[in-house]
Amino acid sequence: MKRKIIITSDGSSSILMEDMDETYHSVHGAVQEANHVYLKEGLHQISKRQFSILEMGFGTGLNTLLTALEAEKLQLSIQYHAVEGFPLTAEEIQLLNYPVQLDDPNAIRDFTRIHQTDWEVEMPINSCFSLKKVRSLFEELQLLPQSYDLIYFDAFGYPYQPELWSEEIFIKMYESLKPNGILVTYACRGAIKQNMRAAGFKVERLAGPPGKRQMIRAHKISKETALNS
Ligand SMILES: C[S@@+](CC[C@H](N)C(=O)[O-])C[C@H]1O[C@@H](n2cnc3c(N)ncnc32)[C@H](O)[C@@H]1O
């Protein structure tokens, strides 16, 4: 797997998987996409002040960083678990420009802590955000039922890893969400929506970030509500 650091249209870095011709973020803007899909349509939809998030695909740690900074800004209390099968090297992390791209005085501090913290251990990143990075293939991970309020689902695209967008994987995530929990993802193809519905989710299509037409927010609703809706 050959990885190359690239700069996206909003000036923020991302990674290109050269063999697959697939990027970690939208080439129209990595920070812009993460803010739209995961913060605006995910984090900001949770009405609690204290909640838990599961991220599938930790990657560069960009979603984690933006969420940690937002938690402190809004004085929330967030417990965040991030799963990654193929962690970046220290050399690759050093080349990412998020701490300087983000207009936030705490970005360097949080970015450094996020990447220096050990895997498999829950650690505070700031006074409002704790992180556990889990090194595992998502398919092999056991998740506790009803543990998360919000899931950021950020796998590579369906053409590259359809097995991660399957009904089986969505059932696993549905079960790990608390009642009324939500899952957000940048993708929006028919097969994905179908597999989410088969897993029990109510699927909502939303406007995507610049350069992408649509994205998905999926809701864990009770079976009775689903049958009556
Ligand atoms: C689209 S990128 C995610 C970008 C990331 N959220 C970020 O902010 O940089 C997909 C990520 O999922 C990871 N991944 C791919 N297949 C996986 C698997 N089966 N289990 C766990 N992680 C996987 C990749 O290594 C990559 O980091």
Side-chain angles (χ1 to χ4, degrees):
M1 280 195 303
K2 217 163 161 241
R3 296 188 290 229
K4 183 181 163 196
I5 310 287
I6 57 163
I7 298 293
T8 65
S9 297
D10 66 2
S12 57
S13 31
S14 185
I15 295 186
L16 169 70
M17 302 288 293
E18 288 191 303
D19 307 338
M20 293 157 69
D21 197 26
E22 169 76 336
T23 51
Y24 275 40
H25 309 94
S26 164
V27 292
H28 302 286
V31 167
Q32 197 167 246
E33 177 187 49
N35 270 327
H36 180 93
V37 176
Y38 300 105
L39 271 74
K40 176 171 178 267
E41 301 299 0
L43 178 76
H44 293 164
Q45 307 302 318
I46 305 286
S47 50
K48 301 176 183 174
R49 311 266 333 142
Q50 182 171 359
F51 55 95
S52 51
I53 301 178
L54 172 69
E55 177 177 25
M56 155 54 218
F58 170 74
T60 62
L62 175 59
N63 293 337
T64 312
L65 173 63
L66 292 172
T67 305
L69 294 171
E70 193 71 357
E72 194 169 36
K73 198 162 105 199
L74 301 178
Q75 288 294 294
L76 304 170
S77 173
I78 296 181
Q79 184 189 44
Y80 194 100
H81 292 171
V83 183
E84 176 56 57
F86 312 94
L88 299 184
T89 63
E91 291 73 31
E92 287 170 319
I93 292 163
Q94 272 215 326
L95 295 172
L96 299 170
N97 68 5
Y98 305 133
V100 286
Q101 275 288 314
L102 298 176
D103 186 19
D104 191 311
N106 297 323
I108 293 177
R109 177 201 68 188
D110 286 5
F111 186 74
T112 307
R113 287 183 186 161
I114 284 168
H115 285 290
Q116 284 184 350
T117 186
D118 287 335
W119 292 82
E120 321 304 336
V121 194
E122 186 119 22
M123 291 298 287
I125 299 300
N126 61 44
S127 60
C128 300
F129 185 90
S130 73
L131 170 66
K132 180 159 91 166
K133 296 185 290 187
V134 179
R135 186 176 181 162
S136 169
L137 289 179
F138 193 73
E139 305 85 305
E140 293 174 2
L141 194 66
Q142 298 282 335
L143 296 173
L144 291 174
Q146 307 211 0
S147 305
Y148 302 102
D149 297 284
L150 171 61
I151 296 178
Y152 293 169
F153 194 69
D154 203 2
F156 289 129
Y158 182 90
Y160 307 100
Q161 40 184 192
E163 69 285 358
L164 277 184
W165 301 91
S166 63
E167 179 181 338
E168 190 190 344
I169 292 286
F170 287 127
I171 289 175
K172 185 168 167 167
M173 289 188 283
Y174 184 93
E175 285 172 354
S176 78
L177 277 171
K178 295 180 187 169
N180 302 315
I182 58 173
L183 176 156
V184 276
T185 185
Y186 67 90
C188 198
R189 70 163 61 204
I192 296 174
K193 287 183 278 183
Q194 211 175 322
N195 289 341
M196 285 176 166
R197 287 196 189 101
F201 282 107
K202 181 176 172 221
V203 177
E204 190 183 2
R205 263 182 309 152
L206 301 165
K212 290 209 171 171
R213 228 156 44 89
Q214 292 180 323
M215 58 163 282
I216 295 174
R217 181 160 61 226
H219 301 256
K220 176 172 182 169
I221 51 172
S222 70
K223 297 275 185 264
E224 297 88 73
T225 314
L227 286 173
N228 295 328
S229 68

mmCIF file of all heavy atoms in Angstrom, residues 169-216:
data_model
loop_
_atom_site.group_PDB
_atom_site.id
_atom_site.type_symbol
_atom_site.label_atom_id
_atom_site.label_comp_id
_atom_site.label_asym_id
_atom_site.label_seq_id
_atom_site.Cartn_x
_atom_site.Cartn_y
_atom_site.Cartn_z
ATOM 1 N N ILE A 169 -22.060 -5.527 8.575
ATOM 2 C CA ILE A 169 -21.324 -4.468 9.298
ATOM 3 C C ILE A 169 -22.300 -3.426 9.844
ATOM 4 O O ILE A 169 -22.148 -2.940 10.970
ATOM 5 C CB ILE A 169 -20.277 -3.812 8.365
ATOM 6 C CG1 ILE A 169 -19.160 -4.804 8.036
ATOM 7 C CG2 ILE A 169 -19.717 -2.523 8.963
ATOM 8 C CD1 ILE A 169 -18.176 -5.080 9.160
ATOM 9 N N PHE A 170 -23.343 -3.109 9.082
ATOM 10 C CA PHE A 170 -24.309 -2.122 9.579
ATOM 11 C C PHE A 170 -25.109 -2.683 10.763
ATOM 12 O O PHE A 170 -25.473 -1.934 11.666
ATOM 13 C CB PHE A 170 -25.224 -1.616 8.454
ATOM 14 C CG PHE A 170 -24.507 -0.696 7.502
ATOM 15 C CD1 PHE A 170 -24.505 -0.920 6.136
ATOM 16 C CD2 PHE A 170 -23.793 0.408 7.978
ATOM 17 C CE1 PHE A 170 -23.826 -0.082 5.264
ATOM 18 C CE2 PHE A 170 -23.110 1.255 7.117
ATOM 19 C CZ PHE A 170 -23.127 1.008 5.754
ATOM 20 N N ILE A 171 -25.367 -3.980 10.787
ATOM 21 C CA ILE A 171 -26.047 -4.586 11.948
ATOM 22 C C ILE A 171 -25.159 -4.418 13.188
ATOM 23 O O ILE A 171 -25.610 -4.050 14.262
ATOM 24 C CB ILE A 171 -26.363 -6.085 11.693
ATOM 25 C CG1 ILE A 171 -27.471 -6.209 10.653
ATOM 26 C CG2 ILE A 171 -26.746 -6.805 12.984
ATOM 27 C CD1 ILE A 171 -27.794 -7.631 10.215
ATOM 28 N N LYS A 172 -23.855 -4.651 12.993
ATOM 29 C CA LYS A 172 -22.906 -4.510 14.113
ATOM 30 C C LYS A 172 -22.929 -3.076 14.663
ATOM 31 O O LYS A 172 -22.930 -2.852 15.877
ATOM 32 C CB LYS A 172 -21.522 -4.858 13.549
ATOM 33 C CG LYS A 172 -20.403 -4.896 14.512
ATOM 34 C CD LYS A 172 -19.230 -5.556 13.798
ATOM 35 C CE LYS A 172 -17.946 -5.383 14.535
ATOM 36 N NZ LYS A 172 -16.888 -6.246 14.042
ATOM 37 N N MET A 173 -22.990 -2.114 13.755
ATOM 38 C CA MET A 173 -23.006 -0.720 14.217
ATOM 39 C C MET A 173 -24.353 -0.350 14.821
ATOM 40 O O MET A 173 -24.416 0.373 15.818
ATOM 41 C CB MET A 173 -22.636 0.199 13.058
ATOM 42 C CG MET A 173 -21.162 0.058 12.723
ATOM 43 S SD MET A 173 -20.614 1.247 11.536
ATOM 44 C CE MET A 173 -21.278 0.525 10.069
ATOM 45 N N TYR A 174 -25.431 -0.858 14.217
ATOM 46 C CA TYR A 174 -26.779 -0.600 14.761
ATOM 47 C C TYR A 174 -26.835 -1.087 16.204
ATOM 48 O O TYR A 174 -27.312 -0.391 17.088
ATOM 49 C CB TYR A 174 -27.807 -1.336 13.893
ATOM 50 C CG TYR A 174 -29.245 -1.086 14.271
ATOM 51 C CD1 TYR A 174 -29.977 -0.070 13.657
ATOM 52 C CD2 TYR A 174 -29.883 -1.862 15.245
ATOM 53 C CE1 TYR A 174 -31.296 0.168 14.005
ATOM 54 C CE2 TYR A 174 -31.197 -1.629 15.596
ATOM 55 C CZ TYR A 174 -31.896 -0.612 14.978
ATOM 56 O OH TYR A 174 -33.203 -0.382 15.334
ATOM 57 N N GLU A 175 -26.327 -2.281 16.424
ATOM 58 C CA GLU A 175 -26.378 -2.853 17.781
ATOM 59 C C GLU A 175 -25.497 -2.087 18.763
ATOM 60 O O GLU A 175 -25.799 -2.009 19.947
ATOM 61 C CB GLU A 175 -25.994 -4.336 17.732
ATOM 62 C CG GLU A 175 -27.148 -5.129 17.146
ATOM 63 C CD GLU A 175 -26.827 -6.581 16.871
ATOM 64 O OE1 GLU A 175 -25.657 -6.976 17.017
ATOM 65 O OE2 GLU A 175 -27.770 -7.305 16.475
ATOM 66 N N SER A 176 -24.399 -1.506 18.278
ATOM 67 C CA SER A 176 -23.496 -0.793 19.193
ATOM 68 C C SER A 176 -23.999 0.618 19.523
ATOM 69 O O SER A 176 -23.466 1.272 20.420
ATOM 70 C CB SER A 176 -22.096 -0.714 18.600
ATOM 71 O OG SER A 176 -22.051 0.291 17.615
ATOM 72 N N LEU A 177 -24.998 1.082 18.775
ATOM 73 C CA LEU A 177 -25.552 2.421 19.065
ATOM 74 C C LEU A 177 -26.579 2.354 20.186
ATOM 75 O O LEU A 177 -27.306 1.366 20.323
ATOM 76 C CB LEU A 177 -26.262 2.979 17.818
ATOM 77 C CG LEU A 177 -25.404 3.657 16.753
ATOM 78 C CD1 LEU A 177 -26.235 3.946 15.511
ATOM 79 C CD2 LEU A 177 -24.765 4.949 17.260
ATOM 80 N N LYS A 178 -26.660 3.433 20.956
ATOM 81 C CA LYS A 178 -27.721 3.551 21.962
ATOM 82 C C LYS A 178 -29.031 3.856 21.229
ATOM 83 O O LYS A 178 -29.001 4.315 20.075
ATOM 84 C CB LYS A 178 -27.393 4.703 22.920
ATOM 85 C CG LYS A 178 -26.139 4.453 23.735
ATOM 86 C CD LYS A 178 -25.861 5.631 24.657
ATOM 87 C CE LYS A 178 -24.518 5.467 25.335
ATOM 88 N NZ LYS A 178 -24.081 6.674 26.038
ATOM 89 N N PRO A 179 -30.191 3.667 21.888
ATOM 90 C CA PRO A 179 -31.460 4.028 21.243
ATOM 91 C C PRO A 179 -31.420 5.492 20.793
ATOM 92 O O PRO A 179 -30.906 6.349 21.510
ATOM 93 C CB PRO A 179 -32.501 3.821 22.353
ATOM 94 C CG PRO A 179 -31.855 2.837 23.281
ATOM 95 C CD PRO A 179 -30.384 3.090 23.231
ATOM 96 N N ASN A 180 -31.921 5.741 19.593
ATOM 97 C CA ASN A 180 -31.926 7.084 18.977
ATOM 98 C C ASN A 180 -30.530 7.569 18.565
ATOM 99 O O ASN A 180 -30.366 8.752 18.230
ATOM 100 C CB ASN A 180 -32.597 8.138 19.862
ATOM 101 C CG ASN A 180 -34.021 7.763 20.192
ATOM 102 O OD1 ASN A 180 -34.761 7.340 19.292
ATOM 103 N ND2 ASN A 180 -34.399 7.835 21.446
ATOM 104 N N GLY A 181 -29.561 6.684 18.589
ATOM 105 C CA GLY A 181 -28.213 7.046 18.132
ATOM 106 C C GLY A 181 -28.198 7.266 16.626
ATOM 107 O O GLY A 181 -29.103 6.823 15.908
ATOM 108 N N ILE A 182 -27.161 7.958 16.139
ATOM 109 C CA ILE A 182 -27.075 8.205 14.696
ATOM 110 C C ILE A 182 -25.693 7.842 14.143
ATOM 111 O O ILE A 182 -24.698 7.822 14.870
ATOM 112 C CB ILE A 182 -27.405 9.677 14.314
ATOM 113 C CG1 ILE A 182 -26.487 10.675 15.028
ATOM 114 C CG2 ILE A 182 -28.854 9.994 14.573
ATOM 115 C CD1 ILE A 182 -26.675 12.108 14.561
ATOM 116 N N LEU A 183 -25.702 7.551 12.842
ATOM 117 C CA LEU A 183 -24.459 7.255 12.118
ATOM 118 C C LEU A 183 -24.395 8.232 10.948
ATOM 119 O O LEU A 183 -25.387 8.399 10.231
ATOM 120 C CB LEU A 183 -24.523 5.812 11.612
ATOM 121 C CG LEU A 183 -23.389 5.270 10.746
ATOM 122 C CD1 LEU A 183 -23.356 3.736 10.860
ATOM 123 C CD2 LEU A 183 -23.515 5.639 9.273
ATOM 124 N N VAL A 184 -23.241 8.861 10.760
ATOM 125 C CA VAL A 184 -23.084 9.733 9.593
ATOM 126 C C VAL A 184 -21.922 9.240 8.737
ATOM 127 O O VAL A 184 -20.928 8.720 9.258
ATOM 128 C CB VAL A 184 -22.844 11.227 9.964
ATOM 129 C CG1 VAL A 184 -24.130 11.950 10.218
ATOM 130 C CG2 VAL A 184 -21.881 11.390 11.117
ATOM 131 N N THR A 185 -22.096 9.433 7.419
ATOM 132 C CA THR A 185 -21.034 9.051 6.500
ATOM 133 C C THR A 185 -21.108 9.923 5.253
ATOM 134 O O THR A 185 -22.176 10.442 4.909
ATOM 135 C CB THR A 185 -21.121 7.560 6.115
ATOM 136 O OG1 THR A 185 -19.988 7.234 5.312
ATOM 137 C CG2 THR A 185 -22.397 7.212 5.370
ATOM 138 N N TYR A 186 -19.966 10.053 4.582
ATOM 139 C CA TYR A 186 -19.885 10.894 3.383
ATOM 140 C C TYR A 186 -20.537 10.242 2.166
ATOM 141 O O TYR A 186 -20.840 10.897 1.183
ATOM 142 C CB TYR A 186 -18.398 11.172 3.067
ATOM 143 C CG TYR A 186 -17.654 9.922 2.638
ATOM 144 C CD1 TYR A 186 -17.587 9.546 1.297
ATOM 145 C CD2 TYR A 186 -17.057 9.089 3.584
ATOM 146 C CE1 TYR A 186 -16.929 8.378 0.910
ATOM 147 C CE2 TYR A 186 -16.406 7.930 3.207
ATOM 148 C CZ TYR A 186 -16.349 7.582 1.872
ATOM 149 O OH TYR A 186 -15.723 6.423 1.498
ATOM 150 N N ALA A 187 -20.761 8.925 2.224
ATOM 151 C CA ALA A 187 -21.215 8.195 1.034
ATOM 152 C C ALA A 187 -22.730 8.243 0.896
ATOM 153 O O ALA A 187 -23.439 8.551 1.855
ATOM 154 C CB ALA A 187 -20.754 6.754 1.143
ATOM 155 N N CYS A 188 -23.235 7.918 -0.305
ATOM 156 C CA CYS A 188 -24.696 7.947 -0.478
ATOM 157 C C CYS A 188 -25.158 7.056 -1.627
ATOM 158 O O CYS A 188 -26.105 7.381 -2.303
ATOM 159 C CB CYS A 188 -25.164 9.372 -0.707
ATOM 160 S SG CYS A 188 -26.923 9.581 -0.417
ATOM 161 N N ARG A 189 -24.523 5.922 -1.881
ATOM 162 C CA ARG A 189 -24.998 5.129 -3.021
ATOM 163 C C ARG A 189 -26.128 4.187 -2.607
ATOM 164 O O ARG A 189 -26.275 3.840 -1.424
ATOM 165 C CB ARG A 189 -23.864 4.417 -3.730
ATOM 166 C CG ARG A 189 -23.214 3.300 -2.992
ATOM 167 C CD ARG A 189 -22.414 2.422 -3.948
ATOM 168 N NE ARG A 189 -21.334 3.132 -4.628
ATOM 169 C CZ ARG A 189 -20.812 2.751 -5.798
ATOM 170 N NH1 ARG A 189 -21.279 1.682 -6.418
ATOM 171 N NH2 ARG A 189 -19.810 3.399 -6.339
ATOM 172 N N GLY A 190 -26.912 3.773 -3.610
ATOM 173 C CA GLY A 190 -28.119 2.989 -3.363
ATOM 174 C C GLY A 190 -27.865 1.726 -2.548
ATOM 175 O O GLY A 190 -28.611 1.432 -1.602
ATOM 176 N N ALA A 191 -26.819 0.988 -2.882
ATOM 177 C CA ALA A 191 -26.555 -0.284 -2.202
ATOM 178 C C ALA A 191 -26.275 -0.064 -0.713
ATOM 179 O O ALA A 191 -26.631 -0.880 0.134
ATOM 180 C CB ALA A 191 -25.360 -0.977 -2.855
ATOM 181 N N ILE A 192 -25.655 1.057 -0.400
ATOM 182 C CA ILE A 192 -25.329 1.364 1.010
ATOM 183 C C ILE A 192 -26.616 1.641 1.777
ATOM 184 O O ILE A 192 -26.843 1.103 2.870
ATOM 185 C CB ILE A 192 -24.364 2.568 1.085
ATOM 186 C CG1 ILE A 192 -23.031 2.218 0.432
ATOM 187 C CG2 ILE A 192 -24.174 3.020 2.528
ATOM 188 C CD1 ILE A 192 -22.052 3.369 0.329
ATOM 189 N N LYS A 193 -27.479 2.459 1.171
ATOM 190 C CA LYS A 193 -28.744 2.797 1.842
ATOM 191 C C LYS A 193 -29.575 1.535 2.059
ATOM 192 O O LYS A 193 -30.171 1.332 3.114
ATOM 193 C CB LYS A 193 -29.526 3.812 0.999
ATOM 194 C CG LYS A 193 -28.909 5.192 1.062
ATOM 195 C CD LYS A 193 -29.702 6.211 0.294
ATOM 196 C CE LYS A 193 -29.366 6.148 -1.168
ATOM 197 N NZ LYS A 193 -30.004 7.101 -2.010
ATOM 198 N N GLN A 194 -29.571 0.663 1.047
ATOM 199 C CA GLN A 194 -30.324 -0.598 1.133
ATOM 200 C C GLN A 194 -29.806 -1.462 2.289
ATOM 201 O O GLN A 194 -30.573 -2.006 3.066
ATOM 202 C CB GLN A 194 -30.103 -1.340 -0.174
ATOM 203 C CG GLN A 194 -31.241 -2.210 -0.610
ATOM 204 C CD GLN A 194 -30.900 -2.780 -1.993
ATOM 205 O OE1 GLN A 194 -30.322 -2.105 -2.856
ATOM 206 N NE2 GLN A 194 -31.220 -4.036 -2.186
ATOM 207 N N ASN A 195 -28.492 -1.571 2.412
ATOM 208 C CA ASN A 195 -27.905 -2.388 3.486
ATOM 209 C C ASN A 195 -28.161 -1.767 4.862
ATOM 210 O O ASN A 195 -28.351 -2.482 5.844
ATOM 211 C CB ASN A 195 -26.402 -2.576 3.251
ATOM 212 C CG ASN A 195 -26.144 -3.494 2.072
ATOM 213 O OD1 ASN A 195 -27.031 -4.243 1.668
ATOM 214 N ND2 ASN A 195 -24.953 -3.432 1.508
ATOM 215 N N MET A 196 -28.166 -0.442 4.915
ATOM 216 C CA MET A 196 -28.469 0.232 6.194
ATOM 217 C C MET A 196 -29.915 -0.039 6.600
ATOM 218 O O MET A 196 -30.192 -0.347 7.755
ATOM 219 C CB MET A 196 -28.266 1.746 6.053
ATOM 220 C CG MET A 196 -26.823 2.179 6.020
ATOM 221 S SD MET A 196 -26.768 3.971 5.739
ATOM 222 C CE MET A 196 -25.069 4.304 6.172
ATOM 223 N N ARG A 197 -30.824 0.065 5.631
ATOM 224 C CA ARG A 197 -32.248 -0.181 5.950
ATOM 225 C C ARG A 197 -32.444 -1.624 6.384
ATOM 226 O O ARG A 197 -33.167 -1.911 7.344
ATOM 227 C CB ARG A 197 -33.119 0.120 4.722
ATOM 228 C CG ARG A 197 -33.226 1.601 4.453
ATOM 229 C CD ARG A 197 -34.371 1.944 3.493
ATOM 230 N NE ARG A 197 -34.279 3.352 3.118
ATOM 231 C CZ ARG A 197 -33.779 3.789 1.964
ATOM 232 N NH1 ARG A 197 -33.369 2.939 1.043
ATOM 233 N NH2 ARG A 197 -33.715 5.083 1.717
ATOM 234 N N ALA A 198 -31.767 -2.548 5.718
ATOM 235 C CA ALA A 198 -31.897 -3.970 6.074
ATOM 236 C C ALA A 198 -31.382 -4.212 7.505
ATOM 237 O O ALA A 198 -31.851 -5.117 8.201
ATOM 238 C CB ALA A 198 -31.118 -4.829 5.075
ATOM 239 N N ALA A 199 -30.438 -3.386 7.939
ATOM 240 C CA ALA A 199 -29.891 -3.530 9.304
ATOM 241 C C ALA A 199 -30.811 -2.902 10.345
ATOM 242 O O ALA A 199 -30.585 -3.063 11.543
ATOM 243 C CB ALA A 199 -28.510 -2.879 9.361
ATOM 244 N N GLY A 200 -31.820 -2.134 9.901
ATOM 245 C CA GLY A 200 -32.784 -1.551 10.840
ATOM 246 C C GLY A 200 -32.757 -0.029 10.897
ATOM 247 O O GLY A 200 -33.555 0.584 11.593
ATOM 248 N N PHE A 201 -31.818 0.595 10.190
ATOM 249 C CA PHE A 201 -31.700 2.052 10.250
ATOM 250 C C PHE A 201 -32.794 2.760 9.444
ATOM 251 O O PHE A 201 -33.237 2.243 8.415
ATOM 252 C CB PHE A 201 -30.358 2.504 9.642
ATOM 253 C CG PHE A 201 -29.172 2.326 10.543
ATOM 254 C CD1 PHE A 201 -28.238 1.316 10.297
ATOM 255 C CD2 PHE A 201 -28.964 3.182 11.613
ATOM 256 C CE1 PHE A 201 -27.120 1.156 11.107
ATOM 257 C CE2 PHE A 201 -27.844 3.033 12.430
ATOM 258 C CZ PHE A 201 -26.933 2.020 12.182
ATOM 259 N N LYS A 202 -33.160 3.946 9.909
ATOM 260 C CA LYS A 202 -33.949 4.869 9.091
ATOM 261 C C LYS A 202 -32.932 5.778 8.404
ATOM 262 O O LYS A 202 -32.109 6.402 9.085
ATOM 263 C CB LYS A 202 -34.891 5.683 9.975
ATOM 264 C CG LYS A 202 -35.743 6.621 9.188
ATOM 265 C CD LYS A 202 -36.724 7.342 10.080
ATOM 266 C CE LYS A 202 -37.418 8.415 9.253
ATOM 267 N NZ LYS A 202 -37.581 9.644 9.995
ATOM 268 N N VAL A 203 -32.976 5.833 7.082
ATOM 269 C CA VAL A 203 -31.908 6.499 6.332
ATOM 270 C C VAL A 203 -32.365 7.869 5.829
ATOM 271 O O VAL A 203 -33.421 7.993 5.223
ATOM 272 C CB VAL A 203 -31.482 5.610 5.136
ATOM 273 C CG1 VAL A 203 -30.425 6.308 4.296
ATOM 274 C CG2 VAL A 203 -30.974 4.266 5.634
ATOM 275 N N GLU A 204 -31.530 8.868 6.098
ATOM 276 C CA GLU A 204 -31.845 10.228 5.672
ATOM 277 C C GLU A 204 -30.752 10.695 4.721
ATOM 278 O O GLU A 204 -29.570 10.579 5.026
ATOM 279 C CB GLU A 204 -31.844 11.096 6.940
ATOM 280 C CG GLU A 204 -32.370 12.468 6.795
ATOM 281 C CD GLU A 204 -32.238 13.260 8.120
ATOM 282 O OE1 GLU A 204 -31.700 12.727 9.121
ATOM 283 O OE2 GLU A 204 -32.653 14.406 8.132
ATOM 284 N N ARG A 205 -31.174 11.227 3.552
ATOM 285 C CA ARG A 205 -30.198 11.779 2.615
ATOM 286 C C ARG A 205 -30.076 13.270 2.867
ATOM 287 O O ARG A 205 -31.082 13.952 3.005
ATOM 288 C CB ARG A 205 -30.694 11.598 1.181
ATOM 289 C CG ARG A 205 -30.124 10.384 0.512
ATOM 290 C CD ARG A 205 -30.599 10.291 -0.905
ATOM 291 N NE ARG A 205 -32.038 10.409 -1.005
ATOM 292 C CZ ARG A 205 -32.692 10.879 -2.064
ATOM 293 N NH1 ARG A 205 -32.032 11.280 -3.123
ATOM 294 N NH2 ARG A 205 -34.011 10.970 -2.093
ATOM 295 N N LEU A 206 -28.848 13.766 2.902
ATOM 296 C CA LEU A 206 -28.632 15.188 3.184
ATOM 297 C C LEU A 206 -27.717 15.760 2.108
ATOM 298 O O LEU A 206 -27.002 15.008 1.431
ATOM 299 C CB LEU A 206 -27.931 15.344 4.542
ATOM 300 C CG LEU A 206 -28.658 14.772 5.754
ATOM 301 C CD1 LEU A 206 -27.697 14.671 6.930
ATOM 302 C CD2 LEU A 206 -29.852 15.635 6.119
ATOM 303 N N ALA A 207 -27.715 17.083 1.990
ATOM 304 C CA ALA A 207 -26.778 17.721 1.052
ATOM 305 C C ALA A 207 -25.359 17.440 1.510
ATOM 306 O O ALA A 207 -25.060 17.490 2.715
ATOM 307 C CB ALA A 207 -27.037 19.218 1.025
ATOM 308 N N GLY A 208 -24.484 17.135 0.566
ATOM 309 C CA GLY A 208 -23.095 16.834 0.907
ATOM 310 C C GLY A 208 -22.252 18.099 0.999
ATOM 311 O O GLY A 208 -22.746 19.205 0.779
ATOM 312 N N PRO A 209 -20.966 17.940 1.323
ATOM 313 C CA PRO A 209 -20.062 19.100 1.357
ATOM 314 C C PRO A 209 -19.780 19.570 -0.076
ATOM 315 O O PRO A 209 -20.110 18.850 -1.021
ATOM 316 C CB PRO A 209 -18.800 18.528 2.003
ATOM 317 C CG PRO A 209 -18.841 17.070 1.691
ATOM 318 C CD PRO A 209 -20.287 16.679 1.624
ATOM 319 N N PRO A 210 -19.166 20.757 -0.256
ATOM 320 C CA PRO A 210 -18.853 21.220 -1.608
ATOM 321 C C PRO A 210 -18.159 20.128 -2.429
ATOM 322 O O PRO A 210 -17.256 19.454 -1.936
ATOM 323 C CB PRO A 210 -17.916 22.402 -1.355
ATOM 324 C CG PRO A 210 -18.330 22.916 -0.011
ATOM 325 C CD PRO A 210 -18.742 21.700 0.772
ATOM 326 N N GLY A 211 -18.651 19.940 -3.666
ATOM 327 C CA GLY A 211 -18.054 18.937 -4.548
ATOM 328 C C GLY A 211 -18.716 17.569 -4.445
ATOM 329 O O GLY A 211 -18.455 16.690 -5.252
ATOM 330 N N LYS A 212 -19.587 17.367 -3.433
ATOM 331 C CA LYS A 212 -20.271 16.071 -3.293
ATOM 332 C C LYS A 212 -21.760 16.347 -3.121
ATOM 333 O O LYS A 212 -22.140 17.149 -2.260
ATOM 334 C CB LYS A 212 -19.750 15.319 -2.074
ATOM 335 C CG LYS A 212 -18.333 14.824 -2.239
ATOM 336 C CD LYS A 212 -18.100 13.568 -1.439
ATOM 337 C CE LYS A 212 -16.757 12.959 -1.788
ATOM 338 N NZ LYS A 212 -16.401 11.866 -0.898
ATOM 339 N N ARG A 213 -22.585 15.669 -3.934
ATOM 340 C CA ARG A 213 -24.007 16.015 -3.930
ATOM 341 C C ARG A 213 -24.705 15.648 -2.617
ATOM 342 O O ARG A 213 -25.425 16.430 -2.044
ATOM 343 C CB ARG A 213 -24.695 15.322 -5.113
ATOM 344 C CG ARG A 213 -25.575 16.273 -5.902
ATOM 345 C CD ARG A 213 -25.790 15.817 -7.321
ATOM 346 N NE ARG A 213 -26.066 14.401 -7.425
ATOM 347 C CZ ARG A 213 -27.272 13.857 -7.372
ATOM 348 N NH1 ARG A 213 -28.327 14.614 -7.175
ATOM 349 N NH2 ARG A 213 -27.432 12.559 -7.507
ATOM 350 N N GLN A 214 -24.471 14.399 -2.164
ATOM 351 C CA GLN A 214 -25.242 13.931 -1.016
ATOM 352 C C GLN A 214 -24.405 13.137 -0.023
ATOM 353 O O GLN A 214 -23.325 12.652 -0.357
ATOM 354 C CB GLN A 214 -26.382 13.046 -1.522
ATOM 355 C CG GLN A 214 -27.400 13.850 -2.301
ATOM 356 C CD GLN A 214 -28.536 13.004 -2.816
ATOM 357 O OE1 GLN A 214 -28.333 11.867 -3.211
ATOM 358 N NE2 GLN A 214 -29.725 13.566 -2.817
ATOM 359 N N MET A 215 -24.941 13.012 1.168
ATOM 360 C CA MET A 215 -24.329 12.192 2.219
ATOM 361 C C MET A 215 -25.476 11.507 2.977
ATOM 362 O O MET A 215 -26.637 11.771 2.690
ATOM 363 C CB MET A 215 -23.498 13.049 3.174
ATOM 364 C CG MET A 215 -24.295 14.144 3.851
ATOM 365 S SD MET A 215 -23.494 14.860 5.303
ATOM 366 C CE MET A 215 -23.816 13.620 6.560
ATOM 367 N N ILE A 216 -25.129 10.655 3.948
ATOM 368 C CA ILE A 216 -26.184 9.937 4.686
ATOM 369 C C ILE A 216 -26.076 10.184 6.188
ATOM 370 O O ILE A 216 -24.979 10.189 6.754
ATOM 371 C CB ILE A 216 -26.075 8.405 4.469
ATOM 372 C CG1 ILE A 216 -26.340 8.044 3.010
ATOM 373 C CG2 ILE A 216 -27.043 7.645 5.380
ATOM 374 C CD1 ILE A 216 -26.111 6.562 2.692
#
